[in-house]
Amino acid sequence: MFYWQRTKYPAGSRGAKNAPDTVIVVVPTYNEAENVEALVRDVLEQDPRIEVLVVDDNSPDGTGKLADQLAVATSRVHVLHRASKEGLGAAYRAGLARALELGADAVVQMDCDFSHPPSTVPVLLEAMADHDVAIGSRYVNGITVVNWPIERILISYFGNWYAKKITGLDISATTGGFRCVRRSMLEMMGFDRIRSIGYAFQIELNFRFQHYGAKAKEIEFFFVDRKLGESKLSLRIAKWTGRL
């Protein structure tokens, strides 16, 4: 059973005994040289417990090298270099596994293009005092998306509605990739066995949370479309996941 509490504001106390001590933010990258340094620095400023793991798929624009420079500058940054671009699902499987190896009590997933605002990370962490999963959602109270054309909003909204009907998920944003997960839940639900590619990985991840009885909360945030760099979303991925 999936215990959802949908809210606009955080609950609980950051000082609660169940709050995670070490938080690793996993950021998959491919050609994000224009964003990676600013994003990593902004995330680290949010909370002293936070470390960042950049998972780079051999970006030809030098994103991996920039991430390495950040890792040299501070021990709070880690880099996982992958040989090639194999899809979001593969990058996240590798990143989640590495985050657990690094000793994470909780893992945050977020994009590198600032569509997931770093300022919302502390809100997700606040919820972890008494939840297994905290998910950032752009559909909790209406639609909180900025700079998207109406046709993209409609495809995304009804794509999520369709995915909910097919999977039975009680969640407003089935394909969203902005979340914080407790270590114990990741170990229990077997994320390494997920073979979905692209944004279908996010749907299956949420499905497994539900299957394993995660206590979870959806938290509203404003999704702002990227200003720098190019979107990695292809029409084929959007067709199957409703992410477009």
Side-chain angles (χ1 to χ4, degrees), residues 123-242:
V123 184
L124 299 179
L125 297 183
E126 189 90 17
M128 297 309 291
D130 50 7
H131 291 83
D132 301 308
V133 184
I135 295 184
S137 175
R138 55 192 186 272
Y139 298 123
V140 172
N141 296 299
I143 301 175
T144 51
V145 175
V146 180
N147 296 336
W148 271 13
I150 186 63
E151 59 269 20
R152 184 173 178 183
I153 292 175
L154 291 174
I155 291 173
S156 176
Y157 183 83
F158 286 108
N160 274 284
W161 176 85
Y162 178 74
K164 287 174 62 176
K165 290 294 183 181
I166 294 297
T167 63
L169 282 170
D170 182 22
I171 176 176
S172 64
T174 59
T175 62
F178 190 26
R179 63 167 66 81
C180 183
V181 188
R182 194 174 291 278
R183 178 191 188 97
S184 57
M185 177 53 59
L186 285 171
E187 292 176 333
M188 181 190 303
M189 50 79 74
F191 67 89
D192 54 317
R193 297 191 296 272
I194 298 177
R195 291 294 174 261
S196 300
I197 62 173
Y199 290 95
F201 175 85
Q202 312 290 15
I203 299 175
E204 186 172 349
L205 197 61
N206 286 324
F207 183 84
R208 284 176 179 259
F209 292 150
Q210 176 171 301
H211 177 76
Y212 284 94
K215 184 179 181 183
K217 176 187 288 187
E218 283 192 279
I219 295 171
E220 180 184 59
F221 79 98
F222 279 85
F223 184 104
V224 180
D225 203 12
R226 70 163 59 239
K227 295 180 179 179
L228 298 174
E230 296 182 359
S231 174
K232 312 306 182 298
L233 180 65
S234 68
L235 189 60
R236 179 179 64 85
I237 293 174
K239 176 181 178 182
W240 290 108
T241 67

Side-chain angles (χ1 to χ4, degrees), residues 5-6 14-16 27 29 43 47 51 82 92 94 106 122 125 131 141 165 167:
Q5 293 183 11
R6 297 178 180 170
R14 188 169 300 177
V27 183
T29 58
V43 169
D47 193 297
E51 300 176 19
R82 286 163 30 88
Y92 265 130
L125 297 183
H131 291 83
N141 296 299
K165 290 294 183 181
T167 63

Side-chain angles (χ1 to χ4, degrees), residues 13-66:
S13 170
R14 188 169 300 177
K17 64 180 181 180
N18 290 326
D21 293 322
T22 301
V23 179
I24 295 183
V25 178
V26 177
V27 183
T29 58
Y30 184 76
N31 286 349
E32 291 290 356
E34 295 175 287
N35 291 309
V36 65
E37 183 174 359
L39 186 281
V40 169
R41 294 189 184 281
D42 203 346
V43 169
L44 291 178
E45 290 176 357
Q46 302 303 315
D47 193 297
R49 293 173 293 173
I50 291 176
E51 300 176 19
V52 175
L53 171 62
V54 177
V55 182
D56 187 65
D57 281 1
N58 198 22
S59 299
D61 73 343
T63 300
K65 292 181 180 179
L66 290 173

Side-chain angles (χ1 to χ4, degrees), residues 50-89:
I50 291 176
E51 300 176 19
V52 175
L53 171 62
V54 177
V55 182
D56 187 65
D57 281 1
N58 198 22
S59 299
D61 73 343
T63 300
K65 292 181 180 179
L66 290 173
D68 284 337
Q69 293 172 11
L70 293 169
V72 170
T74 173
S75 61
R76 295 173 65 195
V77 176
H78 313 273
V79 186
L80 176 61
H81 293 280
R82 286 163 30 88
S84 61
K85 186 179 181 182
E86 298 176 346
L88 187 66

